[in-house]
Amino acid sequence: MEKKTRRNFMKTLGASVGAAGVLSSGSLLSACNRVEEVSGDKITLLTSSGELVVVDRSQLKPAELPSLTENQLRGRKGLPGRSWVMVIDLSKCRNARECMKACQSHHQLRPEQHHINVLQMQDSEDTAPYFMPKPCLHCDNPPCTKVCPVNATFKREDGIVLIDNERCIGCRFCIAACPYSARVFNWKEPRDAEKYEGVTYNIEANVPQKKGTISKCLFSADCLRDGKLPSCVSACPNGVYWFGDKNEDAVTNGTTKETVSFTQLVKEGAAYTLMKELGTRPRVYYLPPKGQEASPIEGDHI
Amino acid sequence: MQKTESPEESRRKLDKIVSDLTRSILLKDELTRFWFFILIMFAGVGLWGWILQIKNGLGVTGMGDYISWGLYIANFVFFVAISLVGLLISSVLQLLKISWAKPVSRAAEQIAIAAVALAGIIIVMDMGRPDRLLNIFLHGRYASPIVWDLTVVSTYLAISLLLFYIPLIPDLALLHERMGPELPTWKRKLYKVLALGWKGNDLQFKTVYHALRVLMILIIPVGLSIHTVTSWLFAATLRPGWDSTIFGPYFVVGAFVAGTGALIILMYVYRLRYGLKEYYTDMHFDRMGKLLVLVCLVYLYFNINEFFVPVYKMKLAEGVHLKTLFSGGYAFMFWFAQIVGLVLPILLIQLKFFRRPLPLSLISVVILLSAWFKRYLIVIPTMEHPFLPVQNVPESFHHYKPTSTEMLIMLFSFFAALLIISILAKLFPVITIWEVAEEQGIDKEYLTEKSNTQ
Ligand code: SF4
Ligand code: SF4
């Protein structure tokens, strides 16, 4: 954990409070008017990563979250001038599943819902098995957005494929269309639905999730807007993920924070994309699982 | 059409036709009541299943993130398929001037209306957020096959209703004139309103013929597209088993098979129940049998194409899919549909004996059952085998097993469809009276005069 200044802490906290919206807005505002007073009044809050924290009421500060429509509008546009890409180094994956955990808590997912799923793969009988984290590939020719009847899933300028669960009608055509099984559905009430009640919908995190609507990996678009790496990328302990902007030709490793040239990494590592013959043109590249020692396959983890 | 009869003769004949063909309307016995009771009860119970589903979410079904379409979509495809019989019988055959098809066409339209209406309802029942149905109109994207589907399904329903209603108008006027107190007043009033002041003069008949002709031609592209677009819901994806270029025509022909089967069963029931032996004669069943063989043969041809070519190549993902159909968990259903539901009927119906009413109807029951199996096989097995392995999810996500709620809702759809057909049969004659009269050489002028035998 890096050191945090008090101001930084307050800033994050403010954002979390806004995102969580546990307090009714009235009391939140009145509390926020007296920011520096010490009242000794403790309250419990839910952060955007799903943790509960206890803070002094006097430390609350209003968050600057845009309204629902504004949020959806800017969420649809994307970050100007960006073109996000991910490179997954299969030779490094040890099946730690930290990415899956971080993702599930960030996006309010049930244990069986995976925006990112670490699969145990074996290409043929004679080759070694390996682990393959599989997020949504944010295809540049996405079969999923083409079939949506209401434009509830769409491709943004910066390459990210997002979902608007305020609009989704739950027809699940996009699940049928995605060849990579990247999409999950809220068959039941989402995890911790009560905690998230009344929270303003953040289209870039797809939180709060809603029963009867779709969800999938969003490259943590909310984090990207804040200039941070996606949750899975920064959670990985093994340096599997590189994430960055193709326009800048730079990708950063989530573990080592090292930044390298995207083209070079992809070229020198002989990267490939999944099932490229389908013509979906994924934005997620894989470096081959050379030397990965997949421990014997022990069955599913849920 | 001979016109040699005396007025008395004509009137007598017409009286008989009217009394035969209004039996379905007048019948008021225990069985009718029981039948309606059963229908309403089961449809109601099924509807309750939907209420449960709305309350608790689609999680009450057996679907999961991998097999994300189940019974509902299979039923949807089944109903769309059946509804196509309206197009075949009351448009194509009529335009070809095949006169034996005339008395069957209203029954065909009944099936079309009921089936396509239910298809529309099922789609809504399958939605995770039925409360957002309006979004399709607010934010509809014309690039999505679902929007095409909704467009053509509603157009088809509208044209089918017109094809049902317009030939009915002269009948309604006639019934209003001729039927006395045996008919409840509200029904007579209804007939009067719906008859739109029909006088039965030449000009009006000309308008009816003209309108029908236009509709019959219009319904052909709409009917073909409704099932073609339905097939594109699958064919527009990249999944093995769906990613096929012949899905459109394949579905259309399959629909003709299913619809013809359904119509034969309905004809048999009407013939038995309402004593319509002279109208649905053995000849009609014989012809329907021949029609069934024809569409079955074409369907077989498509089946061979659909399965033989991929089997020959055995592409990786396709191979897995085909194995589950041929020898895996779905083998029974698959071979039942192919052998018992297709090859066997083709062979049997060639024999004259099996084109008689009862045997043909029994065969049709089998055909209809396997048509349903076929729709199930189109939807579910493909979803069980995505390209990437299914991992880290509960066991129930690996296989699809419909739950009781899904069964209830399926029950609803079938009973609601039967209910619509039964109500139509109870309200209006099941065979067009004036067409039969015309066929028997009765002059049109007798149609609108009051009955004199009462
Ligand atoms: S991986 Fe699937 S969900 Fe993601 S963009 Fe591609 S098709 Fe769509
Ligand atoms: S489930 Fe939602 S996002 Fe997916 S195609 Fe249907 S409406 Fe669009």
Side-chain angles (χ1 to χ4, degrees):
Chain A
M1 274 281 152
E2 64 269 56
K3 278 178 265 150
K4 273 186 186 158
T5 63
R6 183 174 149 81
R7 188 196 266 126
N8 249 339
F9 173 65
M10 299 266 290
K11 213 166 127 194
T12 357
L13 188 64
S16 321
V17 170
V22 173
L23 290 178
S24 72
S25 50
S27 66
L28 180 67
L29 276 178
S30 61
C32 294
N33 287 339
R34 294 168 280 125
V35 170
E36 294 303 329
E37 268 172 52
V38 179
S39 67
D41 202 1
K42 300 274 189 226
I43 56 162
T44 316
L45 295 175
L46 182 75
T47 66
S48 57
S49 55
E51 287 163 76
L52 285 175
V53 291
V54 180
V55 290
D56 198 283
R57 196 183 275 276
S58 61
Q59 288 187 322
L60 296 180
K61 216 180 120 192
E64 277 149 42
L65 254 199
S67 72
L68 178 63
T69 18
E70 249 176 88
N71 205 346
Q72 279 165 311
L73 274 182
R74 75 172 195 187
R76 273 183 186 264
K77 269 195 126 154
L79 299 167
R82 303 297 200 146
S83 175
W84 304 109
V85 282
M86 183 185 263
V87 183
I88 299 179
D89 188 349
L90 294 180
S91 67
K92 296 232 173 69
C93 180
R94 300 279 173 275
N95 196 23
R97 292 176 186 254
E98 290 301 329
C99 51
M100 289 168 72
K101 275 183 224 142
C103 173
Q104 289 191 328
S105 78
H106 181 179
H107 298 292
Q108 196 199 346
L109 298 175
R110 288 171 166 270
E112 73 273 16
Q113 295 179 304
H114 307 292
H115 280 183
I116 186 162
N117 196 354
V118 181
L119 300 175
Q120 300 170 337
M121 302 289 289
Q122 187 163 18
D123 293 342
S124 90
E125 270 172 37
D126 304 326
T127 55
Y130 58 95
F131 295 109
M132 183 182 87
K134 183 218 57 184
C136 162
L137 308 183
H138 296 273
C139 309
D140 276 344
N141 179 20
C144 55
T145 63
K146 280 188 213 167
V147 297
C148 179
V150 294
N151 210 0
T153 181
F154 51 88
K155 178 114 191 140
R156 323 199 293 185
E157 271 169 34
D158 56 1
I160 299 186
V161 173
L162 273 196
I163 287 158
D164 184 347
N165 82 10
E166 289 281 335
R167 186 184 283 188
C168 170
I169 59 168
C171 66
R172 312 188 296 295
F173 200 178
C174 52
I175 300 190
C178 170
Y180 304 104
S181 310
R183 289 173 169 258
V184 297
F185 192 72
N186 284 301
W187 299 97
K188 305 180 184 142
E189 208 57 76
R191 172 175 69 79
D192 297 335
E194 334 75 54
K195 279 199 209 162
Y196 287 86
E197 216 174 284
V199 178
T200 312
Y201 174 57
N202 184 351
I203 194 171
E204 292 183 325
N206 204 30
V207 170
Q209 299 275 354
K210 282 179 204 73
K211 185 174 83 180
T213 64
I214 210 83
S215 189
K216 71 163 190 70
C217 157
L218 319 138
F219 269 176
S220 295
D222 55 333
C223 297
L224 298 179
R225 189 173 288 278
D226 292 345
K228 288 191 240 146
L229 289 171
S231 299
C232 48
V233 173
S234 32
C236 176
N238 295 322
V240 172
Y241 297 98
W242 299 84
F243 192 89
D245 184 352
K246 204 166 144 184
N247 289 345
E248 280 179 350
D249 192 28
V251 283
T252 307
N253 190 296
T255 316
T256 61
K257 301 284 183 292
E258 181 192 352
T259 298
V260 298
S261 150
F262 166 69
T263 23
Q264 226 168 346
L265 181 70
V266 164
K267 232 180 236 153
E268 281 167 16
Y272 64 94
T273 54
L274 279 189
M275 294 184 263
K276 79 171 197 317
E277 66 279 7
L278 297 180
T280 50
R281 291 194 279 127
R283 265 174 187 266
V284 173
Y285 295 78
Y286 286 96
L287 300 177
K290 207 171 126 232
Q292 193 206 74
E293 293 159 43
S295 41
I297 290 171
E298 312 137 8
D300 284 5
H301 300 241
I302 299 174
Chain B
M1 260 196 260
Q2 68 284 46
K3 257 195 198 165
T4 49
E5 284 141 15
S6 64
E8 289 70 41
E9 179 92 358
S10 294
R11 293 205 177 96
R12 230 195 40 249
K13 263 187 164 178
L14 186 61
D15 282 342
K16 177 164 170 16
I17 296 174
V18 172
S19 92
D20 281 345
L21 296 186
T22 48
R23 224 169 280 144
S24 74
I25 304 173
L26 297 175
L27 213 57
K28 248 203 211 118
D29 52 359
E30 284 301 311
L31 190 59
T32 316
R33 259 180 244 134
F34 180 67
W35 175 241
F36 273 97
F37 170 73
I38 293 279
L39 288 181
I40 293 173
M41 191 181 73
F42 277 103
V45 168
L47 209 55
W48 178 69
W50 191 37
I51 295 172
L52 280 187
Q53 177 179 300
I54 290 181
K55 233 177 84 202
N56 302 325
L58 279 175
V60 298
T61 67
M63 293 183 274
D65 286 341
Y66 294 87
I67 302 137
S68 52
W69 280 345
L71 267 195
Y72 303 151
I73 295 291
N75 280 334
F76 165 74
V77 181
F78 181 71
F79 276 113
V80 173
I82 290 207
S83 77
L84 232 55
V85 71
L87 158 79
L88 180 65
I89 303 288
S90 48
S91 161
V92 177
L93 294 194
Q94 310 291 341
L95 287 174
L96 293 174
K97 301 237 180 313
I98 295 175
S99 61
W100 64 262
K102 267 196 180 153
V104 232
S105 79
R106 187 167 292 164
E109 278 315 314
Q110 289 178 344
I111 296 182
I113 291 171
V116 83
L118 260 297
I121 295 176
I122 292 173
I123 276 287
V124 179
M125 291 181 150
D126 182 67
M127 281 168 44
R129 297 296 300 245
D131 53 314
R132 294 182 181 171
L133 184 64
L134 277 184
N135 278 7
I136 299 180
F137 303 100
L138 295 176
H139 306 288
R141 268 181 80 241
Y142 246 90
S144 166
I146 290 197
V147 176
W148 310 339
D149 218 22
L150 281 171
T151 316
V152 283
V153 162
S154 44
T155 317
Y156 188 74
L157 179 61
I159 301 186
S160 296
L161 280 171
L162 284 176
L163 269 179
F164 181 81
Y165 175 55
I166 292 181
L168 193 64
I169 297 175
D171 278 6
L172 291 169
L174 175 146
L175 290 175
H176 175 70
E177 283 304 318
R178 293 178 144 257
M179 304 285 275
E182 68 269 32
L183 210 64
T185 1
W186 69 266
K187 256 192 196 172
R188 289 198 60 198
K189 277 203 186 120
L190 178 76
Y191 291 165
K192 187 169 178 192
V193 174
L194 289 180
L196 304 177
W198 177 264
K199 292 276 180 317
N201 54 36
D202 282 347
L203 184 71
Q204 287 185 327
F205 267 107
K206 232 173 121 186
T207 320
V208 162
Y209 288 135
H210 186 70
L212 282 180
R213 215 183 145 71
V214 171
L215 287 174
M216 282 173 192
I217 294 170
L218 259 184
I219 202 170
I220 292 179
V222 177
L224 290 182
S225 24
I226 138 171
H227 218 34
T228 308
V229 170
T230 302
S231 82
W232 288 348
L233 294 186
F234 306 101
T237 70
L238 297 161
R239 291 181 184 248
W242 288 353
D243 184 5
S244 156
T245 47
I246 65 163
F247 250 37
Y250 181 45
F251 270 46
V252 170
V253 181
F256 287 158
V257 174
T260 312
L263 181 58
I264 291 172
I265 300 171
L266 190 66
M267 282 166 64
Y268 185 73
V269 172
Y270 282 166
R271 167 175 152 127
L272 213 61
R273 177 94 177 100
Y274 303 134
L276 299 178
K277 266 204 172 63
E278 292 157 45
Y279 303 89
Y280 290 154
T281 61
D282 286 5
M283 179 273 288
H284 287 103
F285 283 87
D286 183 78
R287 298 281 156 84
M288 286 297 285
K290 287 177 178 158
L291 181 68
L292 190 56
V293 174
L294 174 71
V295 286
C296 278
L297 278 171
V298 183
Y299 194 43
L300 183 67
Y301 168 75
F302 271 98
N303 266 305
I304 292 172
N305 270 283
E306 174 65 13
F307 291 106
F308 180 73
V309 177
V311 161
Y312 192 85
K313 293 184 283 198
M314 248 357 195
K315 282 199 279 188
L316 192 64
E318 202 98 21
V320 178
H321 171 67
L322 291 170
K323 265 193 205 128
T324 44
L325 289 185
F326 289 174
S327 52
Y330 293 104
F332 172 76
M333 264 186 162
F334 179 80
W335 292 114
F336 183 92
Q338 297 294 348
I339 308 273
V340 187
L342 196 54
V343 177
L344 219 56
I346 292 176
L347 296 178
L348 288 181
I349 304 175
Q350 316 252 354
L351 307 172
K352 196 155 176 55
F353 171 80
F354 286 99
R355 290 200 300 273
R356 295 168 35 142
L358 183 62
L360 188 65
S361 307
L362 292 177
I363 292 179
S364 297
V365 172
V366 176
I367 287 186
L368 206 59
L369 180 72
S370 53
W372 188 86
F373 278 0
K374 192 79 220 283
R375 303 305 177 283
Y376 189 88
L377 291 177
I378 286 172
V379 178
I380 285 104
T382 290
M383 302 208 89
E384 273 185 13
H385 301 286
F387 287 106
L388 294 172
V390 179
Q391 289 175 8
N392 309 321
V393 290
E395 183 51 35
S396 62
F397 278 26
H398 290 250
H399 303 284
Y400 174 68
K401 228 177 104 227
T403 61
S404 50
T405 316
E406 280 171 287
M407 297 292 192
L408 277 183
I409 294 183
M410 173 164 154
L411 214 63
F412 162 81
S413 45
F414 280 89
F415 279 90
L418 287 177
L419 188 62
I420 294 180
I421 295 178
S422 305
I423 290 177
L424 289 178
K426 184 88 187 112
L427 279 182
F428 310 113
V430 295
I431 298 177
T432 316
I433 296 176
W434 64 271
E435 275 181 353
V436 175
E438 193 178 41
E439 207 64 21
Q440 296 200 1
I442 298 168
D443 200 275
K444 284 203 191 82
E445 66 184 84
Y446 301 112
L447 289 176
T448 37
E449 66 184 26
K450 280 216 193 294
S451 169
N452 53 0
T453 51
Q454 281 165 14

